[in-house]
Amino acid sequence: MRIATKTALAFAAFAAVCVGGAGGLLLDESREALHDALIDRQRLLVANRALVLRENLGLAIGELERLADMAEIDLDDGDLGPEQRLLGHAYRQTSFFNGRLELYGLAGRCRWAEPVSGGCREPDSASRSWLIRAREAGQTTLLHVTDPDGRGLIDIVAPVRRGGRSVGVLRGVIDLQRDRMFSPPLAEDLHPTTRVALVTADGRPVIRSAEVSLTDAPWTTAVSAFEGGQGGATVADAPGGELLLAWTPVGRGDLWLLFAWPLEVLDDDAERHVRSLSVSILLVGLLALGVGFIVARGLTQPLKGLAEQVRGVHGDAPLVLPASSRPDEVGEVQRALCTLLARLEDRESHIRADRDRISDLASHLEDRVEERTRELRATRDALVEAERMAAIGRAATVLSHELRNALNAVSVAMDTLGSDTSEEALSDARRLVRSEVARLRTLSDDLLSYAKEPVIRRQPVSVAELLELVELLTEERAKRLGARVEIDADAAVVWLDPERMQTVLVNLVHNAVEATAQRDERVVRVTARAGDALAITVDDSGEGVAEAIRERVFQPFVTARIHGIGLGLAIAERFVLAHGGTIQLAQSPLGGARFVVCLPLEEARGDEVET
């Protein structure tokens, strides 16, 4: 066997052993790493979805607790009118309790429910565990109920406390099949084969996919792990093949979110990666074999030439080869190699010097970049903090002013009761306190309206009827201030959210009426025209908007009114922008201010648009 063949085979064998061993280890480690990464990825997916549910539950609990603390809920006064209005308003405005809102007395009798058409789900709940727990615990209790037909409900129960004692219970119901806050984390953007279950800590399902049976393996494995209080993931055998299960608690451990996927579906990418890696290893092995033959031929070629020259020498003559007939390739290779090494050494010294210089420059540049970055971050943090503190200061100033006025009014009422306990004084004090409570609730509603993202529900609305309703709602204030409201509207029907636009127009008309309070002629004119777009104009004969605040009139907490808080126009602008329209301030022909609302004419549709 020739040297070239031996060298090629030896090189190929060595390459095959190295590539095969390293490739095998790489395949095993890659498969294991991909498997672990897959489990971690799905566990993180469930944790993220649970985090969204947890935050939404926290917001829902906070909303119900705030509602339970409202002064209108007084089960001892024998008048359910304030409670009915409060629950009706809260049910229409809530983003969470799409099922219903129910108010119970301590004896368990349902006092009122929204919506009214459905009545109370449990008219007498004296023996129900949720009522007992809410009454005794003194804090919000999270309960979970699954209807027999599989429609998942979540009940949130908050005690109504007055004077340090419980006087009733407020229950909010979330229907997971119809809500827009909790259902997306359970179904949105998931693989079609995903199986979902939302269960209680003791393994009772709140809502689940049709394929999920929590009493059968491998689901019992995940349910049994709930006692540890921590999320986890595992791969378990199932009748249809292996399943990857991942679970994590929602909130304080009362609810658990459980996802499962067929492993073969999720593992498809990993298998493709392994197959690609195997093909790559095979190609590298074949390439090593070819390179071995080429390298062996290149190494033995000078020796073959030298052998030919030696075979040309005859007899006992000394081994002296003529220069012309002996190219002496080995010598040439050696001399060329020596020359190459000398050149490489010289070049290497230059490269090392250049590398040292570049390293020094890079080090200095990196230090300067880091220093500048720190300066920019410090400046940015200072600006953000200053803006945040300024916003907090503005809000705190407004809230402090309003709370101080309300407390002064209540203090006057209490002083009056201290010196005069007649029925008339008591009635006046009660009316004053209720008025201040209603004003503070309006302030709270305005703050919530501005803080929440508006949800636009479009429906066909008659422009003339909408303005007639606005005129009716503003009639009392206009008469009190001696102002005349004139309405001029087209008989057009457009698609918009009537409640949001009613809020916008009532705010504009109220502002216009109050702006005319110091004028002899007090006129407010509302005009609506529908062409390429719906244009609604509100003019007043007041003094107009002061130049100092014209550029900031739509910003929150900016107002020229003595008793204003500066949220009406900010809320109006948000609602108009949510419709895709515009609102602008101009000079009115009547001498005062003109607000122009321009809305695009939407096509007929019944979907909800959240902006």
Side-chain angles (χ1 to χ4, degrees), residues 579-601:
H579 279 80
T582 59
I583 179 170
Q584 296 178 343
L585 170 63
Q587 183 67 32
S588 172
L590 299 180
R594 162 177 283 187
F595 287 91
V596 180
V597 176
C598 186
L599 302 176
L601 297 181

Side-chain angles (χ1 to χ4, degrees), residues 453-582:
E453 290 294 333
V455 177
I456 303 303
R457 297 179 173 87
R458 299 182 187 273
Q459 63 185 62
V461 176
S462 170
V463 177
E465 293 180 359
L466 176 62
L467 294 187
E468 289 177 1
L469 179 58
V470 171
E471 182 182 15
L472 179 64
L473 293 175
T474 57
E475 181 180 7
E476 180 180 353
R477 183 174 297 186
K479 288 182 177 179
R480 177 164 49 83
L481 296 178
R484 184 175 77 256
V485 179
E486 301 176 354
I487 303 296
D488 182 12
D490 284 348
V493 176
V494 298
W495 279 78
L496 49 79
D497 188 326
E499 293 186 1
R500 301 300 189 193
M501 289 310 304
Q502 174 186 312
T503 300
V504 172
L505 296 177
V506 167
N507 279 340
L508 294 179
V509 174
H510 277 168
N511 289 347
V513 167
E514 293 186 4
T516 64
Q518 305 299 325
R519 310 290 282 186
D520 293 336
E521 184 178 4
R522 304 172 184 177
V523 179
V524 175
R525 183 176 300 155
V526 183
T527 306
R529 296 289 181 264
D532 296 335
L534 175 61
I536 303 177
T537 304
V538 180
D539 292 288
D540 66 69
S541 60
E543 298 180 353
V545 179
E547 188 67 28
I549 65 171
R550 289 182 67 88
E551 297 297 329
R552 301 181 294 114
V553 70
F554 293 109
Q555 296 181 8
F557 308 116
V558 175
T559 180
R561 294 161 49 195
I562 298 178
H563 300 291
I565 64 172
L567 282 177
L569 291 179
I571 293 173
E573 184 187 42
R574 293 198 72 185
F575 288 174
V576 170
L577 293 178
H579 279 80
T582 59

Side-chain angles (χ1 to χ4, degrees), residues 97-157:
F97 304 106
N98 61 324
R100 58 199 308 100
L101 287 171
E102 299 174 343
L103 179 63
Y104 290 82
L106 284 180
R109 187 169 63 87
C110 182
R111 305 296 298 275
W112 190 254
E114 287 290 341
V116 180
S117 59
C120 290
R121 196 173 60 177
E122 297 174 305
D124 188 359
S125 304
S127 61
R128 300 292 291 176
S129 61
W130 59 266
L131 180 68
I132 297 173
R133 290 173 61 190
R135 186 171 54 198
E136 295 177 352
Q139 60 184 2
T140 298
T141 303
L142 185 64
L143 300 176
H144 322 286
V145 180
T146 302
D147 285 353
D149 60 357
R151 185 171 65 95
L153 304 177
I154 295 181
D155 293 355
I156 299 181
V157 182

Side-chain angles (χ1 to χ4, degrees), residues 280-355:
S280 299
I281 292 174
L282 178 60
L283 292 177
V284 169
L286 295 176
L287 180 61
L289 182 62
V291 170
F293 278 103
I294 295 173
V295 171
R297 180 177 177 82
L299 291 176
T300 56
Q301 190 65 33
L303 296 178
K304 290 174 63 175
L306 182 58
E308 290 293 335
Q309 292 293 333
V310 171
R311 282 194 294 268
V313 179
H314 300 281
D316 297 330
L319 190 59
V320 177
L321 300 177
S324 58
S325 61
R326 277 186 63 186
D328 200 4
E329 296 176 357
V330 175
E332 290 293 333
V333 169
Q334 291 175 344
R335 288 189 295 272
L337 183 59
C338 292
T339 303
L340 178 61
L341 290 176
R343 291 177 179 175
L344 288 177
E345 180 63 27
D346 182 61
R347 185 172 298 177
E348 181 68 20
S349 63
H350 290 294
I351 290 175
R352 283 195 297 268
D354 293 340
R355 183 179 58 195

